[in-house]
Amino acid sequence: MKIYNTLTRKKEDFVPLNPGQVKMYVCGPTVYNFIHIGNARPLIVFDTVRRYLESRGYEVIYVCNFTDVDDKIIKKAVEEKVDATVISERYIDECKKDMAAMNVRPATIHPKATEEIPEMLEMIKSLIDKNHAYVAADGTVYFRTRSFKEYGKLSRKNLDDLRAGNRSLQVTGAEQKDDPLDFVLWKPKKDGEPYWESAWCNGRPGWHIECSVMSKKYLGDEIDIHTGGIDLIFPHHENEIAQSEAANGKPFARYWLHNAFLNIESKKMSKSEGNFFTVREISEKYDLQILRFFILSAHYRSPLNFSAELMEAARNGLERIINCVANLNHLTKGCQVGGTITENEKMQIEQAKVFTTKFEEAMDDDFNTADAISFIFELVKFANSIVNEDSTFEFLAALKKQIVLLSDICGLIVDKKEDILDEEIEALIAQRQSARKEKNFDRADEIRDELLNKGIILEDTREGVKYKRGF
C-alpha cells in the first residue's frame, strides 16, 4: 500500500509504527453551526480510509476532535444570550446526525477541546520550560517559532520569506511578540468569554495547541496518520508539528494526508458568493448517500466541483449498484436454498474476483476511490450480464456478497431493506392503472407519489408499468 505523504511530497510505502495497528488523527469541525459540504469531504474521505485499512486487517484507533471553544462559538452564544456550551453541544449533536446520514462511523473517540484544558496547560508549561515558548506582559503565551529549526517542513515555507511577506505584522499588534511570526498558545479572556485559570492568566487556549494535546493524549507522542483539508497545512498543521515535536522530542506523524477543496459551480464556496451549502440543506434534496458517492467519485487530492448535474450523475451511478443488488435479491427469492452450484457458475465467481483485486489495487494506490468505484461498476455490469432466473442461490449470494462488501468499504449502503414488498407494489400499481382508466388522475398521481416516497420509481413503458427502487 502506498500513500501520498504531504510531508515528503511523494508516495511512500505504508509502514505503521506498530504492526497490525494504525493510529490516525483527523482534524474535526469547529461546532458553531451546521457543518457545510466542505466539512463533509474530509469526514467522508478519511472515514473511507479507515474502513479500507480495517478491511485489510488493521486495528484503527481513529480520533476526530470537536473544537468547542472558538470566537465564532462565543459570538453566536452572545447573539443568542446563552452559554457557549449550549451552542457547541447543540451543533455537536447536529454534526453527529449529519455524519450518521452520510454513513460516517463514529470515531474511536471524539475529544472536545474544553475537556482537555489540564493537558494543554501541561504541554504549554513544558514548552515554556524548554524555552520554546514565553509569556508576554498581559499573560499571553506565545510559541517561539524560530526555536523550532524545522519550522516550515510540511508547508515548505521559509520563516524569513513569511516575515518579509507579512511586514504589517511588525507594526500591527505584534509589539509584545519576540517575533511577529510567533503564534498563540494561551490568551487572556475577554469580557463575557468562557475562561480557565492558568499560571499566566485567566484565559483560553489557542487553536493549534488543542490538536497537539488531544493527539498525544489518545494516540501517543508519535502517530501513523494525520489528516485534514489542504487549508490546514499552514498554519495549523505546521504549528501542530512545531509544538508537538518541540514538547515531545519525537516526530509527530509519519504520514500527512490532505484532501483538496470542494468548489461550487467551479467557484470557491463562500457566503458572500451565495453558494454556501450546509450538509443539512443538501439533505433536503438528496439522500446523503448520494453526497457520499459524489465525494468519493473523485480522488481525494483532486479538486472537486459540486453542481446539481454532477449530483444527479452520482444519484444515477449509485442507483445502478442498488438496482443490481435488488435484482439479485429478487432472483434469490425464486431459488431453492442449497441448490447445487454449477461448474460454469464457479468459474464465473472466480472471474468476478478479478474486480475485487482491481478494487484493492486502486485503494492501495493512495486510496483512489474514483478508480475503485469504477471496478464496482465493472462488477455490477458483469453480474447483470450473467445472472438469470435459472441462476443458483449460492451463485447469486456470492455475487451479491462481493458487491455489498466493496460498497461497504466505501461506506455505501446498497443492500436496501425492503419496507414495502413486491406484492404491495404490484397492488398499488394495479390501483393506479384502474384509477387512470377511470380518468381519476388525481388518485393515480397520489399513488405514484406514495410509491416515490417509499423509494419506488414508476416507469410507464410500451410493455406496461415497470418499477425500480431508488432514493
Side-chain angles (χ1 to χ4, degrees), residues 4 6 26-27 36-47 49 226-233 237 256-263 295-296 298-304 366:
Y4 182 86
T6 306
V26 181
C27 281
H36 56 73
I37 56 175
N39 300 135
R41 191 174 194 187
L43 289 172
I44 288 170
V45 163
F46 299 120
D47 174 70
V49 168
H226 197 310
T227 75
I230 57 171
D231 54 315
L232 298 183
I233 294 175
H237 287 168
W256 288 85
L257 277 63
H258 293 94
N259 63 275
F261 286 123
L262 188 151
N263 298 316
I295 283 175
L296 296 180
H299 189 280
Y300 75 92
R301 286 191 291 110
S302 299
L304 182 57
D366 193 31

Coordinates of all heavy atoms in Angstrom, one line a residue, residues 4 6 26-27 36-47 49 226-233 237 256-263 295-296 298-304 366:
Y4 N 0.3 9.0 -0.5 CA 1.0 10.2 -0.8 C 1.1 11.0 0.5 O 0.2 11.3 1.2 CB 0.2 11.1 -1.8 CG 0.9 12.4 -2.2 CD1 1.9 12.4 -3.2 CD2 0.6 13.5 -1.5 CE1 2.5 13.6 -3.5 CE2 1.3 14.7 -1.8 CZ 2.2 14.7 -2.8 OH 2.9 15.9 -3.1
T6 N 2.1 14.4 2.3 CA 2.3 15.8 2.1 C 3.7 16.2 2.7 O 4.3 17.1 2.1 CB 1.2 16.6 2.8 OG1 0.0 16.1 2.4 CG2 1.4 18.1 2.5
V26 N -7.8 12.9 12.9 CA -8.5 13.7 11.9 C -8.9 15.0 12.5 O -9.6 15.0 13.6 CB -9.7 13.0 11.3 CG1 -10.4 13.8 10.3 CG2 -9.3 11.6 10.8
C27 N -8.5 16.1 11.9 CA -9.0 17.4 12.5 C -10.5 17.6 12.2 O -10.9 17.6 11.0 CB -8.2 18.6 11.8 SG -6.6 18.8 12.5
H36 N -20.8 22.3 6.8 CA -21.1 22.5 5.4 C -20.5 21.4 4.5 O -19.8 20.5 5.0 CB -20.6 23.9 4.9 CG -19.1 24.2 5.2 ND1 -18.1 23.6 4.5 CD2 -18.5 25.0 6.2 CE1 -16.9 24.0 5.0 NE2 -17.2 24.8 6.0
I37 N -20.7 21.4 3.2 CA -20.3 20.3 2.4 C -18.8 20.3 2.2 O -18.2 19.2 1.9 CB -21.0 20.3 1.0 CG1 -20.8 21.6 0.3 CG2 -22.5 20.0 1.2 CD1 -21.4 21.5 -1.1
G38 N -18.1 21.4 2.5 CA -16.7 21.4 2.5 C -16.2 20.5 3.7 O -15.2 19.8 3.6
N39 N -16.8 20.7 4.9 CA -16.5 19.8 6.0 C -16.8 18.4 5.7 O -16.1 17.5 6.3 CB -17.4 20.2 7.2 CG -17.2 21.6 7.7 OD1 -18.2 22.3 8.0 ND2 -16.0 22.1 7.8
A40 N -17.8 18.1 4.9 CA -18.2 16.7 4.6 C -17.1 15.9 3.9 O -17.0 14.7 4.1 CB -19.5 16.7 3.8
R41 N -16.3 16.6 3.1 CA -15.3 15.9 2.3 C -14.3 15.2 3.1 O -14.1 14.0 3.0 CB -14.7 16.8 1.3 CG -13.8 16.0 0.2 CD -13.2 16.8 -0.9 NE -12.8 15.9 -1.9 CZ -12.1 16.3 -3.0 NH1 -11.7 17.5 -3.2 NH2 -11.7 15.4 -3.9
P42 N -13.6 15.8 4.1 CA -12.7 15.1 4.9 C -13.3 14.0 5.8 O -12.8 13.0 6.0 CB -12.0 16.1 5.7 CG -12.9 17.3 5.7 CD -13.5 17.3 4.4
L43 N -14.5 14.3 6.3 CA -15.2 13.4 7.1 C -15.5 12.1 6.3 O -15.3 11.0 6.8 CB -16.5 13.9 7.6 CG -16.4 15.0 8.7 CD1 -17.8 15.6 9.0 CD2 -15.8 14.5 10.0
I44 N -15.9 12.2 5.1 CA -16.3 11.0 4.3 C -15.0 10.4 3.8 O -14.9 9.1 3.8 CB -17.1 11.5 3.1 CG1 -18.6 11.8 3.6 CG2 -17.2 10.4 2.0 CD1 -19.4 12.5 2.6
V45 N -14.1 11.1 3.3 CA -12.8 10.6 2.7 C -12.1 9.8 3.8 O -11.7 8.6 3.5 CB -11.9 11.7 2.1 CG1 -10.5 11.2 1.9 CG2 -12.5 12.2 0.8
F46 N -11.8 10.4 4.9 CA -11.0 9.7 5.9 C -11.7 8.6 6.7 O -11.1 7.6 7.2 CB -10.3 10.7 6.8 CG -9.4 11.7 6.0 CD1 -9.7 13.0 6.0 CD2 -8.4 11.2 5.2 CE1 -8.9 13.9 5.2 CE2 -7.7 12.0 4.4 CZ -7.9 13.4 4.4
D47 N -13.1 8.6 6.7 CA -13.8 7.5 7.1 C -13.6 6.3 6.2 O -13.5 5.2 6.6 CB -15.3 7.9 7.2 CG -16.2 6.7 7.5 OD1 -16.2 6.2 8.7 OD2 -17.0 6.2 6.6
V49 N -10.9 5.8 4.3 CA -9.6 5.4 4.5 C -9.6 4.4 5.7 O -9.0 3.3 5.6 CB -8.6 6.6 4.8 CG1 -7.3 6.1 5.3 CG2 -8.4 7.4 3.5
H226 N -2.0 11.6 10.1 CA -2.7 12.8 10.5 C -3.3 13.4 9.2 O -2.6 13.5 8.2 CB -1.7 13.9 11.1 CG -2.4 14.9 11.9 ND1 -3.4 15.7 11.4 CD2 -2.1 15.4 13.1 CE1 -3.8 16.6 12.3 NE2 -3.0 16.4 13.4
T227 N -4.6 13.8 9.3 CA -5.3 14.2 8.1 C -6.0 15.6 8.3 O -6.2 16.0 9.4 CB -6.3 13.2 7.7 OG1 -7.4 13.3 8.6 CG2 -5.7 11.8 7.7
G228 N -6.5 16.1 7.2 CA -7.3 17.3 7.2 C -7.4 17.9 5.8 O -6.8 17.3 4.8
G229 N -8.0 19.0 5.6 CA -8.1 19.7 4.3 C -6.8 20.4 4.0 O -6.0 20.7 4.9
I230 N -6.6 20.7 2.8 CA -5.3 21.4 2.4 C -5.2 22.7 3.0 O -4.1 23.3 3.2 CB -5.1 21.5 0.9 CG1 -6.3 22.2 0.2 CG2 -4.9 20.1 0.2 CD1 -6.0 22.5 -1.3
D231 N -6.3 23.3 3.4 CA -6.3 24.7 4.0 C -5.7 24.6 5.4 O -5.3 25.6 6.0 CB -7.7 25.2 4.1 CG -8.7 24.3 4.8 OD1 -8.7 23.1 4.5 OD2 -9.5 24.8 5.6
L232 N -5.6 23.4 6.0 CA -5.0 23.3 7.3 C -3.5 23.1 7.3 O -2.8 23.1 8.4 CB -5.6 22.1 8.0 CG -7.1 22.2 8.3 CD1 -7.6 21.0 9.1 CD2 -7.5 23.5 9.0
I233 N -2.9 22.8 6.1 CA -1.4 22.6 6.1 C -0.7 23.8 6.7 O 0.2 23.5 7.6 CB -1.0 22.4 4.6 CG1 -1.6 21.2 4.0 CG2 0.6 22.4 4.5 CD1 -1.3 21.0 2.5
H237 N -1.4 22.8 10.7 CA -0.7 21.6 10.9 C 0.8 21.9 11.0 O 1.5 21.2 11.7 CB -0.9 20.7 9.7 CG -2.2 20.0 9.7 ND1 -2.8 19.4 8.6 CD2 -3.2 20.0 10.7 CE1 -4.0 18.9 9.0 NE2 -4.2 19.3 10.2
W256 N 1.2 12.4 6.4 CA 0.2 13.5 6.4 C -0.6 13.4 5.1 O -0.1 13.5 4.0 CB 0.9 14.9 6.5 CG 1.6 15.1 7.8 CD1 2.8 14.7 8.2 CD2 1.0 15.9 8.9 NE1 3.0 15.1 9.5 CE2 1.9 15.8 9.9 CE3 -0.2 16.6 9.0 CZ2 1.7 16.5 11.2 CZ3 -0.5 17.2 10.3 CH2 0.5 17.2 11.3
L257 N -2.0 13.3 5.3 CA -2.9 13.2 4.2 C -3.8 14.5 4.2 O -4.4 14.8 5.2 CB -3.8 12.0 4.3 CG -3.2 10.6 3.8 CD1 -2.0 10.2 4.6 CD2 -4.3 9.6 3.8
H258 N -3.9 15.1 3.0 CA -4.7 16.3 2.9 C -5.7 16.2 1.7 O -5.2 15.9 0.6 CB -3.9 17.5 2.8 CG -3.1 17.8 4.0 ND1 -1.8 17.4 4.2 CD2 -3.5 18.5 5.2 CE1 -1.4 17.8 5.4 NE2 -2.4 18.5 6.0
N259 N -7.0 16.4 1.9 CA -7.9 16.5 0.8 C -8.0 17.8 0.1 O -7.8 18.9 0.8 CB -9.3 16.0 1.2 CG -9.9 17.0 2.2 OD1 -9.7 16.9 3.4 ND2 -10.7 17.9 1.8
A260 N -8.2 17.9 -1.2 CA -8.3 19.2 -1.9 C -9.7 19.8 -1.6 O -10.6 19.2 -1.0 CB -8.2 18.9 -3.4
F261 N -9.8 21.0 -2.1 CA -11.1 21.8 -1.9 C -12.2 21.2 -2.7 O -12.1 20.6 -3.7 CB -10.9 23.3 -2.3 CG -10.0 24.1 -1.3 CD1 -8.9 24.7 -1.8 CD2 -10.4 24.2 0.0 CE1 -8.1 25.5 -0.9 CE2 -9.6 24.9 0.9 CZ -8.5 25.6 0.4
L262 N -13.4 21.5 -2.1 CA -14.7 21.3 -2.9 C -15.2 22.6 -3.3 O -15.5 23.5 -2.5 CB -15.7 20.5 -2.0 CG -17.0 20.0 -2.6 CD1 -17.5 18.8 -1.9 CD2 -18.0 21.1 -2.6
N263 N -15.4 22.8 -4.6 CA -15.9 24.1 -5.1 C -17.3 23.9 -5.5 O -17.8 22.8 -5.8 CB -15.0 24.5 -6.4 CG -13.6 24.8 -6.0 OD1 -13.3 25.4 -5.0 ND2 -12.7 24.3 -6.8
I295 N -18.7 12.5 -3.5 CA -17.4 12.9 -3.0 C -16.4 11.8 -3.3 O -15.2 12.2 -3.6 CB -17.5 13.2 -1.5 CG1 -18.2 14.6 -1.3 CG2 -16.2 13.2 -0.8 CD1 -18.5 15.0 0.1
L296 N -16.7 10.6 -3.2 CA -15.8 9.5 -3.5 C -15.6 9.3 -4.9 O -14.7 8.5 -5.3 CB -16.3 8.2 -2.8 CG -16.3 8.2 -1.3 CD1 -16.8 6.9 -0.7 CD2 -15.0 8.6 -0.6
A298 N -14.3 11.2 -6.9 CA -13.0 11.9 -7.3 C -11.9 11.5 -6.3 O -12.2 11.2 -5.2 CB -13.2 13.4 -7.3
H299 N -10.7 11.4 -6.8 CA -9.6 11.2 -5.9 C -9.5 12.3 -4.8 O -9.7 13.5 -5.2 CB -8.3 11.1 -6.6 CG -7.1 10.6 -5.8 ND1 -6.4 11.4 -4.9 CD2 -6.5 9.4 -5.7 CE1 -5.5 10.8 -4.3 NE2 -5.5 9.5 -4.8
Y300 N -9.2 11.9 -3.6 CA -9.3 12.9 -2.5 C -8.4 14.1 -2.7 O -8.6 15.2 -2.1 CB -9.1 12.2 -1.2 CG -7.7 11.9 -0.8 CD1 -6.8 12.7 -0.1 CD2 -7.1 10.6 -1.2 CE1 -5.5 12.4 0.2 CE2 -5.8 10.3 -0.9 CZ -5.0 11.1 -0.2 OH -3.7 10.8 0.1
R301 N -7.3 13.9 -3.4 CA -6.3 15.0 -3.6 C -6.6 15.9 -4.8 O -5.9 16.9 -5.1 CB -4.9 14.5 -3.7 CG -4.3 14.0 -2.4 CD -2.8 13.7 -2.5 NE -2.5 12.6 -3.3 CZ -1.9 12.6 -4.5 NH1 -1.5 13.8 -5.0 NH2 -1.6 11.5 -5.1
S302 N -7.7 15.5 -5.5 CA -8.1 16.3 -6.7 C -9.2 17.3 -6.3 O -10.1 16.9 -5.5 CB -8.7 15.4 -7.8 OG -7.7 14.5 -8.2
P303 N -9.2 18.5 -6.8 CA -10.3 19.4 -6.6 C -11.6 18.8 -7.1 O -11.6 18.1 -8.1 CB -9.9 20.7 -7.4 CG -8.5 20.6 -7.6 CD -8.2 19.1 -7.7
L304 N -12.7 19.1 -6.4 CA -14.0 18.5 -6.7 C -15.0 19.6 -6.9 O -15.1 20.5 -6.0 CB -14.4 17.6 -5.6 CG -15.7 16.8 -5.7 CD1 -15.7 16.0 -7.0 CD2 -16.0 15.9 -4.5
D366 N -2.8 5.0 -2.9 CA -3.2 6.3 -2.3 C -4.7 6.4 -2.2 O -5.2 7.5 -2.5 CB -2.5 7.4 -3.0 CG -2.6 8.8 -2.2 OD1 -2.6 8.7 -1.0 OD2 -2.7 9.8 -2.9

